[in-house]
Amino acid sequence: MRILHFYKTYYPDSVGGIEQVIRQMCVGTGRLGVTNQVLSLSRKPDLQPFEFEGHMVHRVPQNFELASNAVSVQAISALARMARDADVVHYHFPWPFMDLAHFMARVNKPSVVTYHSDIVRQKALLRFYQPLQHRFLQSVDAIVATSPNYLGSSTVLDRYRDKTRVITFGLDKTSYPEPDQARLEQWRQKVGPKFFLFVGVLRYYKGLHILLDAVAGTDYPVVIVGAGPIEQELKAHAERLGLKNVLFVGKVDELDKVALLKLCYAVAFPSHLRSEAFGISLLEGAMFGKPMISSEIGTGTTYINIDRQTGLVVPPSDHEALREAMRTLWDNPAMAREMGRRAEARYWQLFTAEQMADGYAGLYQELVARRAQVGLTPATRLG
């Protein structure tokens, strides 16, 4: 079975949560006999197709970007051409240009949308986009919500419950590199023996300003891994607060990320807006057996992190509640260890890449079979 994934960014141009999920989907379903291709946009000059972990990656030039909406005229013809050879086209929402490209390319293959997030920030533009959004979601064969929490709280998905199902994201722990003792010791010397860790792209909805406010006046060490559009703004905020216990380490490679996940005391994940629909780095913390602190925003973060079981859940945008949660974990190491143990157990129970791959492979087969059944004539069915 041949699957075409279409999203605005992918490896190696961008290494965010959605890119990681698409990667895990391709690798996981590839083990089940699915042939995956990814079509994405790029600003890089060299756009030759290449193989990545068993699947092909195709890129077309990104012409411009408007309100985080990447646009490529070349993507329309590429989508039309590649969709003809695919059994299923797999879209990753939200990306308004993708909706338009779907219609302009006249895609007529079984289609599925992984609904990663509502559109939260561009509320003014959303009013103009909504007719296209709903026409697109109506036209696809299936929609996948990434957690029961998000399906239950999204007013958009509520309109499409008859075609929506839940397949949670999953990670393959064996796909993560194993840092050696020298690398672990190098980081231990740099960050100390006990610290809270945040990993992610530094974006507006990650709530890192809340985390900085929470640790003001405390001596809890915090390590922030990642780069992004508000990095300088956050560093300036930390400087205004006079924080000496926060270390921005920037973007790191996978080995260093795993080293920090292994070394950290707990994961702090203060995302405060619904743009954080799931939280892949939060799930990585659970996978490595770490207690977590997250906010209740009605999304998958609270499907990963269960309050008082795998960690602590606080109200969004409440730095005092976040500080108290950090104090609770910091002062109760036995409780923190037990929460981390439960977090890892929950990962193995619900969030492995194998489970996600099984879910999507089954859905692909169902969509192809359904389209074939619709295409049969009554005489053929009787025969």
mmCIF file with all atom_site columns, all heavy atoms in Angstrom, residues 43 45 82 139 150 159 162 181 208 320 377:
data_model
loop_
_atom_site.group_PDB
_atom_site.id
_atom_site.type_symbol
_atom_site.label_atom_id
_atom_site.label_alt_id
_atom_site.label_comp_id
_atom_site.label_asym_id
_atom_site.label_entity_id
_atom_site.label_seq_id
_atom_site.pdbx_PDB_ins_code
_atom_site.Cartn_x
_atom_site.Cartn_y
_atom_site.Cartn_z
_atom_site.occupancy
_atom_site.B_iso_or_equiv
_atom_site.pdbx_formal_charge
_atom_site.auth_seq_id
_atom_site.auth_comp_id
_atom_site.auth_asym_id
_atom_site.auth_atom_id
_atom_site.pdbx_PDB_model_num
ATOM 1  N N   . ARG A 1 43  ? 12.940  25.919 1.994   1.00 0.00 ? 43  ARG A N   1
ATOM 2  C CA  . ARG A 1 43  ? 13.664  27.105 1.515   1.00 0.00 ? 43  ARG A CA  1
ATOM 3  C C   . ARG A 1 43  ? 15.073  26.761 1.053   1.00 0.00 ? 43  ARG A C   1
ATOM 4  O O   . ARG A 1 43  ? 15.822  27.628 0.640   1.00 0.00 ? 43  ARG A O   1
ATOM 5  C CB  . ARG A 1 43  ? 13.742  28.157 2.633   1.00 0.00 ? 43  ARG A CB  1
ATOM 6  C CG  . ARG A 1 43  ? 12.407  28.792 3.005   1.00 0.00 ? 43  ARG A CG  1
ATOM 7  C CD  . ARG A 1 43  ? 12.668  30.003 3.888   1.00 0.00 ? 43  ARG A CD  1
ATOM 8  N NE  . ARG A 1 43  ? 11.458  30.732 4.205   1.00 0.00 ? 43  ARG A NE  1
ATOM 9  C CZ  . ARG A 1 43  ? 10.795  30.612 5.353   1.00 0.00 ? 43  ARG A CZ  1
ATOM 10 N NH1 . ARG A 1 43  ? 11.248  29.769 6.274   1.00 0.00 ? 43  ARG A NH1 1
ATOM 11 N NH2 . ARG A 1 43  ? 9.710   31.316 5.595   1.00 0.00 ? 43  ARG A NH2 1
ATOM 12 N N   . PRO A 1 45  ? 18.205  25.256 -1.204  1.00 0.00 ? 45  PRO A N   1
ATOM 13 C CA  . PRO A 1 45  ? 18.425  25.242 -2.660  1.00 0.00 ? 45  PRO A CA  1
ATOM 14 C C   . PRO A 1 45  ? 18.429  23.842 -3.269  1.00 0.00 ? 45  PRO A C   1
ATOM 15 O O   . PRO A 1 45  ? 18.021  23.663 -4.407  1.00 0.00 ? 45  PRO A O   1
ATOM 16 C CB  . PRO A 1 45  ? 19.800  25.908 -2.807  1.00 0.00 ? 45  PRO A CB  1
ATOM 17 C CG  . PRO A 1 45  ? 20.475  25.711 -1.486  1.00 0.00 ? 45  PRO A CG  1
ATOM 18 C CD  . PRO A 1 45  ? 19.392  25.712 -0.450  1.00 0.00 ? 45  PRO A CD  1
ATOM 19 N N   . MET A 1 82  ? 1.871   13.159 -7.481  1.00 0.00 ? 82  MET A N   1
ATOM 20 C CA  . MET A 1 82  ? 2.184   12.104 -6.529  1.00 0.00 ? 82  MET A CA  1
ATOM 21 C C   . MET A 1 82  ? 0.932   11.414 -6.004  1.00 0.00 ? 82  MET A C   1
ATOM 22 O O   . MET A 1 82  ? 0.943   10.222 -5.693  1.00 0.00 ? 82  MET A O   1
ATOM 23 C CB  . MET A 1 82  ? 3.014   12.671 -5.376  1.00 0.00 ? 82  MET A CB  1
ATOM 24 C CG  . MET A 1 82  ? 4.388   13.184 -5.830  1.00 0.00 ? 82  MET A CG  1
ATOM 25 S SD  . MET A 1 82  ? 5.384   13.857 -4.479  1.00 0.00 ? 82  MET A SD  1
ATOM 26 C CE  . MET A 1 82  ? 5.773   12.330 -3.617  1.00 0.00 ? 82  MET A CE  1
ATOM 27 N N   . SER A 1 139 ? -14.665 17.096 2.805   1.00 0.00 ? 139 SER A N   1
ATOM 28 C CA  . SER A 1 139 ? -14.321 16.356 1.591   1.00 0.00 ? 139 SER A CA  1
ATOM 29 C C   . SER A 1 139 ? -13.476 15.116 1.866   1.00 0.00 ? 139 SER A C   1
ATOM 30 O O   . SER A 1 139 ? -13.460 14.196 1.050   1.00 0.00 ? 139 SER A O   1
ATOM 31 C CB  . SER A 1 139 ? -13.566 17.271 0.623   1.00 0.00 ? 139 SER A CB  1
ATOM 32 O OG  . SER A 1 139 ? -12.251 17.520 1.074   1.00 0.00 ? 139 SER A OG  1
ATOM 33 N N   . TYR A 1 150 ? -8.763  15.820 23.090  1.00 0.00 ? 150 TYR A N   1
ATOM 34 C CA  . TYR A 1 150 ? -8.904  16.832 22.040  1.00 0.00 ? 150 TYR A CA  1
ATOM 35 C C   . TYR A 1 150 ? -10.204 16.639 21.280  1.00 0.00 ? 150 TYR A C   1
ATOM 36 O O   . TYR A 1 150 ? -10.883 17.612 20.939  1.00 0.00 ? 150 TYR A O   1
ATOM 37 C CB  . TYR A 1 150 ? -7.715  16.798 21.075  1.00 0.00 ? 150 TYR A CB  1
ATOM 38 C CG  . TYR A 1 150 ? -7.348  18.180 20.587  1.00 0.00 ? 150 TYR A CG  1
ATOM 39 C CD1 . TYR A 1 150 ? -6.452  18.967 21.292  1.00 0.00 ? 150 TYR A CD1 1
ATOM 40 C CD2 . TYR A 1 150 ? -7.943  18.717 19.448  1.00 0.00 ? 150 TYR A CD2 1
ATOM 41 C CE1 . TYR A 1 150 ? -6.147  20.251 20.876  1.00 0.00 ? 150 TYR A CE1 1
ATOM 42 C CE2 . TYR A 1 150 ? -7.634  19.998 19.016  1.00 0.00 ? 150 TYR A CE2 1
ATOM 43 C CZ  . TYR A 1 150 ? -6.742  20.759 19.739  1.00 0.00 ? 150 TYR A CZ  1
ATOM 44 O OH  . TYR A 1 150 ? -6.452  22.043 19.328  1.00 0.00 ? 150 TYR A OH  1
ATOM 45 N N   . ARG A 1 159 ? -18.157 18.820 14.838  1.00 0.00 ? 159 ARG A N   1
ATOM 46 C CA  . ARG A 1 159 ? -18.997 18.816 13.636  1.00 0.00 ? 159 ARG A CA  1
ATOM 47 C C   . ARG A 1 159 ? -18.784 17.572 12.778  1.00 0.00 ? 159 ARG A C   1
ATOM 48 O O   . ARG A 1 159 ? -19.575 17.295 11.891  1.00 0.00 ? 159 ARG A O   1
ATOM 49 C CB  . ARG A 1 159 ? -18.713 20.065 12.793  1.00 0.00 ? 159 ARG A CB  1
ATOM 50 C CG  . ARG A 1 159 ? -19.075 21.362 13.478  1.00 0.00 ? 159 ARG A CG  1
ATOM 51 C CD  . ARG A 1 159 ? -18.728 22.569 12.642  1.00 0.00 ? 159 ARG A CD  1
ATOM 52 N NE  . ARG A 1 159 ? -19.360 22.548 11.317  1.00 0.00 ? 159 ARG A NE  1
ATOM 53 C CZ  . ARG A 1 159 ? -19.439 23.626 10.525  1.00 0.00 ? 159 ARG A CZ  1
ATOM 54 N NH1 . ARG A 1 159 ? -18.918 24.780 10.934  1.00 0.00 ? 159 ARG A NH1 1
ATOM 55 N NH2 . ARG A 1 159 ? -20.017 23.542 9.338   1.00 0.00 ? 159 ARG A NH2 1
ATOM 56 N N   . ASP A 1 162 ? -18.905 11.871 13.040  1.00 0.00 ? 162 ASP A N   1
ATOM 57 C CA  . ASP A 1 162 ? -19.255 10.659 12.298  1.00 0.00 ? 162 ASP A CA  1
ATOM 58 C C   . ASP A 1 162 ? -18.090 10.116 11.480  1.00 0.00 ? 162 ASP A C   1
ATOM 59 O O   . ASP A 1 162 ? -18.094 8.936  11.094  1.00 0.00 ? 162 ASP A O   1
ATOM 60 C CB  . ASP A 1 162 ? -20.450 10.941 11.371  1.00 0.00 ? 162 ASP A CB  1
ATOM 61 C CG  . ASP A 1 162 ? -20.158 12.016 10.334  1.00 0.00 ? 162 ASP A CG  1
ATOM 62 O OD1 . ASP A 1 162 ? -19.386 12.952 10.654  1.00 0.00 ? 162 ASP A OD1 1
ATOM 63 O OD2 . ASP A 1 162 ? -20.684 11.935 9.218   1.00 0.00 ? 162 ASP A OD2 1
ATOM 64 N N   . GLN A 1 181 ? 28.552  7.160  28.564  1.00 0.00 ? 181 GLN A N   1
ATOM 65 C CA  . GLN A 1 181 ? 28.776  7.730  29.897  1.00 0.00 ? 181 GLN A CA  1
ATOM 66 C C   . GLN A 1 181 ? 29.541  9.044  29.833  1.00 0.00 ? 181 GLN A C   1
ATOM 67 O O   . GLN A 1 181 ? 29.311  9.938  30.644  1.00 0.00 ? 181 GLN A O   1
ATOM 68 C CB  . GLN A 1 181 ? 29.520  6.718  30.771  1.00 0.00 ? 181 GLN A CB  1
ATOM 69 C CG  . GLN A 1 181 ? 28.666  5.553  31.240  1.00 0.00 ? 181 GLN A CG  1
ATOM 70 C CD  . GLN A 1 181 ? 27.448  6.018  32.028  1.00 0.00 ? 181 GLN A CD  1
ATOM 71 O OE1 . GLN A 1 181 ? 27.536  6.864  32.923  1.00 0.00 ? 181 GLN A OE1 1
ATOM 72 N NE2 . GLN A 1 181 ? 26.284  5.457  31.679  1.00 0.00 ? 181 GLN A NE2 1
ATOM 73 N N   . LEU A 1 208 ? 6.572   29.411 28.223  1.00 0.00 ? 208 LEU A N   1
ATOM 74 C CA  . LEU A 1 208 ? 7.852   29.481 28.921  1.00 0.00 ? 208 LEU A CA  1
ATOM 75 C C   . LEU A 1 208 ? 7.997   30.747 29.759  1.00 0.00 ? 208 LEU A C   1
ATOM 76 O O   . LEU A 1 208 ? 8.736   30.753 30.749  1.00 0.00 ? 208 LEU A O   1
ATOM 77 C CB  . LEU A 1 208 ? 9.002   29.351 27.925  1.00 0.00 ? 208 LEU A CB  1
ATOM 78 C CG  . LEU A 1 208 ? 9.157   27.931 27.375  1.00 0.00 ? 208 LEU A CG  1
ATOM 79 C CD1 . LEU A 1 208 ? 10.047  27.919 26.155  1.00 0.00 ? 208 LEU A CD1 1
ATOM 80 C CD2 . LEU A 1 208 ? 9.696   26.998 28.441  1.00 0.00 ? 208 LEU A CD2 1
ATOM 81 N N   . GLU A 1 320 ? 2.100   30.816 39.921  1.00 0.00 ? 320 GLU A N   1
ATOM 82 C CA  . GLU A 1 320 ? 2.165   30.435 41.333  1.00 0.00 ? 320 GLU A CA  1
ATOM 83 C C   . GLU A 1 320 ? 1.814   28.961 41.510  1.00 0.00 ? 320 GLU A C   1
ATOM 84 O O   . GLU A 1 320 ? 2.455   28.248 42.293  1.00 0.00 ? 320 GLU A O   1
ATOM 85 C CB  . GLU A 1 320 ? 1.241   31.320 42.162  1.00 0.00 ? 320 GLU A CB  1
ATOM 86 C CG  . GLU A 1 320 ? 1.711   32.778 42.228  1.00 0.00 ? 320 GLU A CG  1
ATOM 87 C CD  . GLU A 1 320 ? 0.781   33.642 43.063  1.00 0.00 ? 320 GLU A CD  1
ATOM 88 O OE1 . GLU A 1 320 ? -0.292  33.139 43.474  1.00 0.00 ? 320 GLU A OE1 1
ATOM 89 O OE2 . GLU A 1 320 ? 1.126   34.816 43.307  1.00 0.00 ? 320 GLU A OE2 1
ATOM 90 N N   . THR A 1 377 ? -19.933 -1.907 -9.278  1.00 0.00 ? 377 THR A N   1
ATOM 91 C CA  . THR A 1 377 ? -21.307 -1.795 -9.773  1.00 0.00 ? 377 THR A CA  1
ATOM 92 C C   . THR A 1 377 ? -22.176 -2.809 -9.038  1.00 0.00 ? 377 THR A C   1
ATOM 93 O O   . THR A 1 377 ? -21.679 -3.807 -8.492  1.00 0.00 ? 377 THR A O   1
ATOM 94 C CB  . THR A 1 377 ? -21.372 -2.095 -11.260 1.00 0.00 ? 377 THR A CB  1
ATOM 95 O OG1 . THR A 1 377 ? -20.995 -3.465 -11.462 1.00 0.00 ? 377 THR A OG1 1
ATOM 96 C CG2 . THR A 1 377 ? -20.440 -1.195 -12.040 1.00 0.00 ? 377 THR A CG2 1
#
